[in-house]
Amino acid sequence: MENRLWLTLGISLMAMLALTNAYTHYRLPTAIKPDRYKLKVITHLENPANLTFNGQVSIRFNVLEETNNITLHAQNLTIDENRIQLKSYGDKKYRLCKESVQTVAEQDYYIIRLCQPLEKGQMYKLKLYFSGILSEKLHGYYRSSYVAKETNETRWLSVTQFEPASARAAFPCFDEPNYKAKFIIWMGHHKSLTALSNMPLEKQMPVNGLTDFIWSVFEESVPMSTYLVAYTVNDFKYKESKVEGSDVVFRTWARGDYINQCDYAAEVGPNVLQYYEEVFGIPFPLKKVDEIAIPDFSAGAMENWGLVTYRETALLFAPNVSSESNKQRIAEVIAHELAHQWFGNLVTMKWWTDLWLNEGFATYIASLGLKNLNPEWDSYNADSLDNSLSIFRRDAQLSSHPISQPILNTSQIGERFDSISYKKGSAVLRMLHMLLGQDGFFEGVRDYLMKHKYGNAEQDDLWAAFTEKAHKFNRIEPKYDMKVIMDSWTLQTGYPLVRVNRNYETGAIEISQHRYLENNTISDEEAKKCWWVPLSYTTPNELDFENTSPKVWMECDESGKSVPLKLENVVGPQDWIIFNIQLSGVYRVMYDMDNWRLLNATLNSDKFSSINVMNRAHLIDDVISFAWSGYHDYDITFDVLEYLTKEREYLPWKAALDGLSSVIRLLRPFTEQHDYFKTYLRYIIEPIYYHVEGLNNSLEATKTHSGILLKSLVTGWACRIELEDCVQTAVNYFQQWKQTKNPDEENQIPADLRPTVYCTAIRHGDKDDWQFLWQRYRASNVATEKRTIIVSLGCSRNEKVLRDYIDLTFDKAEYIRTQDVTFAFSSIARSEVGAPIARDYFAQNLAALHDFFGPQSTDLGRLLSSLSSQIISTEDFEKITQLIDSNKEYFKKAEKSVQSAYETINFNIQWIGRNVQDMKSRLADRLSLMGLLKTHVDA
């Protein structure tokens, strides 16, 4: 028979202030483990002036060690201390003397102190009553709204965003990922609205005492971490879908005006989920998946089990308005979030140190899901290249961080949701996949998931699974251990530069490694770093670009130092050698100059396509980056780039133009050099521009997915460097659109070319053009189109227009949502006219910006990042440094962003000092030899 002991707790303010010895460690005590939550939440959306919630939570927990307190999390909640209840299960009766309640604001702790300890091995239930305000800051349990098109009425909804540590802002809980528990959720809401949660709806019943309110009661959940709990109250509609052979029902939700944009997502979700069930060998454990497009959402999407939340741009696709790249992005995000149902939800990292086990896996597995869904897209290689390009830049900074790094305070978690956790994590897993092969990789994945399902894991658990498979399939020698190999990639910052020096007389190749740094400086500490590098390579005689398995390893000795490597007679003296087949490893390769010349000769011949397209892209990125960082001069870079006049594939162009974007940006203030560089780029780009038939809406150039991406990329750059045909065509498109009777219904500009046309027309247009596009933004009901317009409006070269735009961006009475303001700001900040305007606004409104985003946001760091890339003078650097130093409290959530910004500015200044004059003479000589300089000057 169950015995009950009810505790009534009351404490005065003076008594609370008198409490001492507060528990302040950043992690919860380990004496208590929750087993089940019963959560009841009533949401009030009737009065826009008072959007609130209230509820109660009963937490059943086990006592693992004797303790005299219950410590859990609560943030910005009002908890009724007079109604706190505690009961015990079992035969024993407890008499607990008077207790106290204590809060520790810095760690969000809510501590209930007991005079008599809770007994080890005993189970208890704690009941708390709480209330709160639906937040405006897009985390915790927060409000969102939209304007219904037919009635022009504002409709309100509520939704959760708990990752990484905001469940505590919605209900008192043990808000750490290793405290998994089952949840029974009751949502109280007006009967005219719909409630959704992680699990299927079980029943509905009236809420006693609240007219027209009902309880939506959901089935008990599988064990899950608090950050995956989700619920929403809304008036949305849905489209239902499923695939043959699956019992899982998908419902894709959106506001009523947007429901016709749900078809594509409704098709993608069930097919991707079925593929994952097959390759993981573990059925999806829930009966349903709700995917919902939220008007205001801080992240791209959130993988809550059974209720996946998205930005509207990441879920909704409007045919003939959304672009091909929008379609790919939507499919990628859906595939990413559904991969999380296994990596993150079924098996969760023990602590945020290993966030990459969630995000790196979801990113990589999503690329495989997309490859299975649309093999004709060639998206796997494009994703792999994009990941590599991103991390090669970010991880070359001293301010970067390891994939797996201890997190010592909750405030540090937010910044770890970055390219290192996502993209470097993904690239390292791709390297593992290519090393282990298909069978070894997926057998290891399945063993890892089965062993830790419904539990938590750390990266050593993954290495143990992969070591077993690597030995089983003979992918590494028995003496090797995947933990030793992979720790070198996940526990230290950066990645290796592999130097290849050939002796063309003896045939010997000496290979060494050190960390690649953008600023080309190696400290003693960095010089000691060593990676276990899987070296794959081929030569013109082999031309084997399919075998990505390592032919040899660069090893680290027991002290962690690199072991010198020497190869003999693997390539003839007149032939090139290429390392890192298909960019299968996370490393750059620096060849000696003679090998670069041999590679350049092939690239600038009719045999350039004999080199695999991924390796062509890798060679281009390396040769641009080595000049950028001062490892060699720009002559060899320009030599190699000239082969691009023959290149017709997307990936090499993506690598080239991404790499050159920083060069043209830093040359902007130096008119002569900038003009020379644009002339050179026009020479390179003009052949491919006309090959894709420019901005014309031609079927031939856009019949494939990669062809569309190539056309979008090339035309964007052609207009940027003011290729006359591109600019004129863009302006004509725009003016024709302006002259239509109903521009919101009659836009003939091809969807994939709209970013280029809009930006170019605004850049070369007047205030009237800007106002026209702004009105189209306000009238549009397509989220992807609205995003395109937001960015394009920042392309103006009119200072008055840009000043008004930046004011409007942060005006809450206007129409740019909080989630989108960083796109508008960055677009302004990255233009030559807008950069000083954005810098001034940031400096003059820093306190207001901090308040606008809220203390939990990392968005100030995003704004700073877009500013830093444009700062090129010591004077401006000192100003931004002084601003940040005097407002450090605003950047607690953006420490890494600040470090990266300082490093970027320092590098900008160094690059200009090293290259501006040199670039002038090199480009003048080259353009003269090409017969382009005179033509340019005359023009």
Side-chain angles (χ1 to χ4, degrees):
M1 183 176 177
E2 185 182 81
N3 294 309
R4 300 190 177 191
L5 179 64
W6 299 98
L7 303 180
T8 303
L9 303 176
I11 186 166
S12 69
L13 177 61
M14 291 301 293
M16 185 180 291
L17 292 174
L19 289 168
T20 57
N21 300 321
Y23 179 79
T24 58
H25 185 58
Y26 72 100
R27 296 290 301 276
L28 287 172
T30 56
I32 289 174
K33 183 172 178 58
D35 172 66
R36 190 188 72 183
Y37 293 76
K38 186 173 183 180
L39 176 63
K40 294 184 175 182
V41 180
I42 298 176
T43 303
H44 295 280
L45 297 172
E46 315 87 69
N47 180 5
N50 189 32
L51 300 173
T52 61
F53 63 93
N54 62 277
Q56 62 187 58
V57 61
S58 297
I59 309 173
R60 188 174 71 193
F61 62 88
N62 290 300
V63 178
L64 306 182
E65 298 292 339
E66 185 178 284
T67 180
N68 64 356
N69 75 73
I70 301 171
T71 301
L72 65 165
H73 290 109
Q75 182 190 85
N76 298 330
L77 294 173
T78 300
I79 298 175
D80 189 342
E81 295 171 12
N82 294 315
R83 298 176 72 189
I84 297 175
Q85 300 168 0
L86 179 67
K87 69 178 182 180
S88 63
Y89 289 85
D91 298 329
K92 294 184 180 181
K93 295 182 178 180
Y94 291 91
R95 288 185 180 179
L96 301 179
C97 62
K98 193 171 182 178
E99 325 71 20
S100 59
V101 172
Q102 185 175 15
T103 59
V104 181
E106 185 178 356
Q107 307 296 351
D108 300 323
Y109 288 149
Y110 191 82
I111 304 172
I112 304 170
R113 294 195 179 277
L114 311 170
C115 296
Q116 185 176 337
L118 301 175
E119 290 189 11
K120 179 179 179 180
Q122 182 72 355
M123 184 174 282
Y124 298 83
K125 183 159 76 172
L126 173 69
K127 191 171 189 178
L128 301 170
Y129 291 81
F130 60 90
S131 61
I133 297 171
L134 288 170
S135 171
E136 295 179 301
K137 302 301 182 185
L138 310 190
H139 70 272
Y141 192 30
Y142 71 92
R143 68 184 75 174
S144 179
S145 67
Y146 69 95
V147 177
K149 194 169 186 178
E150 290 182 4
T151 63
N152 203 33
E153 175 191 1
T154 298
R155 305 278 180 83
W156 290 92
L157 61 141
S158 62
V159 69
T160 55
Q161 172 56 36
F162 289 165
E163 190 180 38
S166 290
R168 65 192 66 178
F171 61 97
C173 57
F174 297 86
D175 198 16
E176 292 184 3
N178 58 319
Y179 286 103
K180 286 191 169 182
K182 297 176 181 178
F183 287 81
I184 299 173
I185 295 175
W186 292 39
M187 294 299 295
H189 57 92
H190 195 276
K191 66 181 182 181
S192 64
L193 302 175
T194 300
L196 303 173
S197 188
N198 304 86
M199 303 300 292
L201 182 69
E202 185 178 282
K203 60 184 177 181
Q204 291 183 318
M205 64 184 75
V207 176
N208 291 333
L210 277 179
T211 305
D212 293 333
F213 266 62
I214 58 173
W215 287 112
S216 290
V217 182
F218 298 92
E219 295 177 11
E220 181 175 280
S221 77
V222 294
M224 60 184 179
S225 304
T226 49
Y227 78 87
L228 291 168
V229 174
Y231 40 87
T232 172
V233 176
N234 60 70
D235 67 344
F236 285 7
K237 296 180 180 179
Y238 69 88
K239 288 203 171 179
E240 187 170 302
S241 58
K242 62 186 297 188
V243 292
E244 186 178 347
S246 174
D247 295 327
V248 181
V249 175
F250 272 75
R251 293 184 299 179
T252 305
W253 297 78
R255 41 174 142 162
D257 295 342
Y258 287 22
I259 194 65
N260 62 344
Q261 300 175 36
C262 291
D263 291 348
Y264 181 62
E267 174 191 340
V268 170
N271 283 287
V272 170
L273 193 81
Q274 188 176 57
Y275 168 72
Y276 290 158
E277 289 184 313
E278 292 171 3
V279 296
F280 300 148
I282 300 175
F284 181 67
L286 308 185
K287 301 173 187 175
K288 64 91 176 176
V289 176
D290 286 310
E291 299 190 296
I292 184 167
I294 305 298
D296 300 285
F297 199 73
S298 61
M302 179 60 209
E303 66 268 19
N304 316 296
W305 228 344
L307 175 55
V308 187
T309 44
Y310 294 82
R311 280 194 186 195
E312 291 178 331
T313 55
L315 191 68
L316 304 180
F317 180 83
N320 302 317
V321 180
S322 302
S323 67
E324 193 76 4
S325 59
N326 293 148
K327 177 182 275 192
Q328 179 171 328
R329 173 64 178 159
I330 289 166
E332 283 174 346
V333 175
I334 293 172
H336 180 102
E337 303 312 321
L338 294 181
H340 269 309
Q341 308 301 303
W342 285 264
F343 295 96
N345 299 13
L346 186 68
V347 179
T348 312
M349 76 265 140
K350 288 183 179 178
W351 180 238
W352 301 101
T353 291
D354 284 326
L355 172 64
W356 83 276
L357 290 178
N358 284 15
E359 300 301 349
F361 254 114
T363 303
Y364 183 61
I365 296 299
S367 69
L368 299 176
L370 211 57
K371 181 181 180 182
N372 177 75
L373 183 71
N374 296 107
E376 73 280 3
W377 281 5
D378 194 29
S379 58
Y380 178 77
N381 280 338
D383 286 344
S384 301
L385 179 66
D386 181 69
N387 290 339
S388 295
L389 296 181
S390 295
I391 63 174
F392 279 165
R393 286 161 179 73
R394 174 66 183 111
D395 216 21
Q397 291 189 311
L398 288 166
S399 58
S400 186
H401 63 86
I403 294 176
S404 177
Q405 183 182 27
I407 289 177
L408 303 178
N409 197 298
T410 308
S411 65
Q412 299 174 344
I413 300 172
E415 279 203 297
R416 295 299 165 78
F417 288 81
D418 64 359
S419 62
I420 300 300
S421 296
Y422 285 72
K423 296 189 174 186
K424 188 177 181 184
S426 174
V428 164
L429 288 169
R430 177 174 177 265
M431 182 168 67
L432 257 177
H433 191 176
M434 291 187 158
L435 169 64
L436 294 172
Q438 186 79 348
D439 292 339
F441 181 76
F442 276 107
E443 279 196 24
V445 164
R446 286 191 282 269
D447 285 0
Y448 167 78
L449 291 173
M450 284 298 296
K451 184 174 181 179
H452 301 286
K453 65 180 181 178
Y454 299 114
N456 299 80
E458 53 194 356
Q459 68 171 22
D460 282 0
D461 298 315
L462 187 66
W463 304 151
F466 281 139
T467 296
E468 181 184 339
K469 302 309 171 186
H471 291 157
K472 174 184 174 180
F473 289 93
N474 298 314
R475 309 300 289 202
I476 60 173
E477 295 179 26
K479 65 179 180 178
Y480 290 163
D481 180 275
M482 293 307 293
K483 173 175 168 54
V484 174
I485 292 171
M486 298 311 300
D487 277 356
S488 72
W489 294 95
T490 60
L491 297 183
Q492 58 184 350
T493 307
Y495 59 89
L497 172 64
V498 173
R499 288 183 176 269
V500 176
N501 288 300
R502 298 173 55 183
N503 185 319
Y504 292 84
E505 294 181 359
T506 66
I509 304 177
E510 293 183 354
I511 305 174
S512 60
Q513 63 162 300
H514 64 74
R515 182 182 174 190
Y516 179 82
L517 284 169
E518 184 178 52
N519 65 8
N520 194 7
T521 60
I522 299 295
S523 65
D524 291 341
E525 180 182 352
E526 295 297 336
K528 294 175 183 175
K529 289 184 176 179
C530 175
W531 288 262
W532 284 73
V533 184
L535 292 176
S536 54
Y537 59 84
T538 193
T539 65
N541 289 330
E542 291 179 338
L543 280 183
D544 182 3
F545 286 97
E546 296 303 314
N547 182 12
T548 58
S549 299
K551 293 182 177 179
V552 64
W553 282 85
M554 293 198 75
E555 301 182 12
C556 309
D557 64 22
E558 292 181 358
S559 67
K561 292 183 179 178
S562 180
V563 178
L565 182 63
K566 193 171 186 178
L567 303 180
E568 301 282 356
N569 299 316
V570 297
V571 60
Q574 301 304 314
D575 292 331
W576 47 255
I577 187 168
I578 288 178
F579 283 83
N580 203 3
I581 302 304
Q582 292 190 46
L583 194 50
S584 53
V586 187
Y587 58 93
R588 293 194 182 280
V589 185
M590 169 81 79
Y591 303 102
D592 59 65
M593 277 300 161
D594 285 335
N595 197 74
W596 275 117
R597 292 187 186 100
L598 291 168
L599 286 167
N600 185 49
T602 297
L603 287 172
N604 277 284
S605 74
D606 294 337
K607 296 181 179 180
F608 73 93
S609 60
S610 66
I611 298 174
N612 177 273
V613 66
M614 281 289 281
N615 282 100
R616 300 203 300 273
H618 186 202
L619 287 170
I620 287 171
D621 185 60
D622 275 356
V623 80
I624 291 173
S625 298
F626 294 150
W628 172 252
S629 299
Y631 285 88
H632 63 216
D633 62 42
Y634 272 95
D635 275 342
I636 185 66
T637 301
F638 291 146
D639 287 344
V640 170
L641 289 178
E642 284 170 21
Y643 108 87
L644 287 169
T645 56
K646 300 189 295 291
E647 181 62 79
R648 300 295 179 260
E649 295 287 340
Y650 171 70
L651 298 181
W653 276 107
K654 170 70 172 170
L657 296 176
D658 277 11
L660 294 174
S661 63
S662 297
V663 177
I664 197 168
R665 167 173 51 83
L666 291 187
L667 288 178
R668 257 186 342 217
F670 308 95
T671 304
E672 198 167 11
Q673 288 91 329
H674 191 231
D675 287 345
Y676 285 173
F677 194 59
K678 286 197 296 183
T679 300
Y680 178 74
L681 288 179
R682 282 195 284 267
Y683 167 78
I684 297 293
I685 289 174
E686 201 163 357
I688 187 69
Y689 174 78
Y690 287 111
H691 173 77
V692 300
E693 300 182 36
L695 278 174
N696 294 320
N697 189 20
S698 55
L699 294 175
E700 181 64 27
T702 56
K703 64 183 179 182
T704 66
H705 179 78
S706 59
I708 293 170
L709 297 183
L710 176 63
K711 186 181 180 81
S712 301
L713 175 70
V714 167
T715 53
W717 268 80
C719 281
R720 180 179 178 181
I721 59 175
E722 297 177 320
L723 196 63
E724 186 176 351
D725 180 81
C726 189
V727 173
Q728 195 56 54
T729 305
V731 170
N732 289 342
Y733 263 132
F734 193 81
Q735 294 305 319
Q736 289 168 14
W737 182 31
K738 279 183 69 177
Q739 292 164 17
T740 58
K741 291 182 179 179
N742 189 354
D744 295 318
E745 303 294 334
E746 303 175 42
N747 186 348
Q748 298 300 313
I749 303 170
D752 296 285
L753 302 181
R754 289 183 186 181
T756 295
V757 171
Y758 293 175
C759 180
T760 305
I762 294 300
R763 181 177 174 83
H764 294 273
D766 56 24
K767 187 174 181 179
D768 183 66
D769 294 322
W770 196 95
Q771 286 293 342
F772 171 81
L773 192 59
W774 171 244
Q775 292 304 318
R776 304 291 73 72
Y777 167 78
R778 293 181 59 176
S780 175
N781 73 334
V782 178
T784 52
E785 173 81 345
K786 291 174 84 76
R787 169 76 60 80
T788 298
I789 294 175
I790 282 173
V791 174
S792 300
L793 289 169
C795 296
S796 175
R797 289 188 287 194
N798 183 312
E799 289 188 23
K800 174 67 166 60
V801 164
L802 291 179
R803 291 186 195 281
D804 290 343
Y805 185 33
I806 205 167
D807 285 336
L808 182 151
T809 295
F810 294 99
D811 183 349
K812 290 187 178 181
E814 277 297 346
Y815 299 90
I816 295 183
R817 295 183 178 274
T818 301
Q819 67 193 19
D820 293 325
V821 297
T822 55
F823 295 99
F825 182 90
S826 296
S827 177
I828 297 167
R830 291 193 168 109
S831 73
E832 64 270 37
V833 177
I837 294 170
R839 253 193 333 268
D840 290 346
Y841 187 92
F842 186 80
Q844 294 163 11
N845 297 276
L846 186 56
L849 289 170
H850 181 262
D851 180 64
F852 180 90
F853 291 118
Q856 303 300 319
S857 174
T858 58
D859 282 332
L860 272 186
R862 293 190 177 96
L863 302 190
L864 182 62
S865 176
S866 60
L867 290 174
S868 65
S869 63
Q870 311 302 313
I871 296 176
I872 61 172
S873 73
T874 304
E875 180 184 357
D876 287 335
F877 186 19
E878 289 174 353
K879 287 180 181 177
I880 203 79
T881 304
Q882 291 169 4
L883 178 70
I884 293 169
D885 285 348
S886 58
N887 294 278
K888 287 182 179 178
E889 70 275 15
Y890 297 154
F891 294 93
K892 287 181 180 178
K893 297 275 186 178
E895 292 177 0
K896 282 290 178 185
S897 297
V898 171
Q899 294 171 15
S900 177
Y902 287 170
E903 197 169 350
T904 296
I905 298 168
N906 261 319
F907 183 84
N908 289 348
I909 295 169
Q910 292 171 15
W911 188 92
I912 286 169
R914 188 174 68 242
N915 289 285
V916 164
Q917 292 307 314
D918 180 68
M919 190 70 76
K920 180 179 177 180
S921 58
R922 286 184 192 278
L923 283 170
D925 290 346
R926 186 169 293 265
L927 293 173
S928 294
L929 289 172
M930 296 162 73
L932 297 173
L933 187 59
K934 184 177 186 300
T935 303
H936 170 74
V937 172
D938 289 347

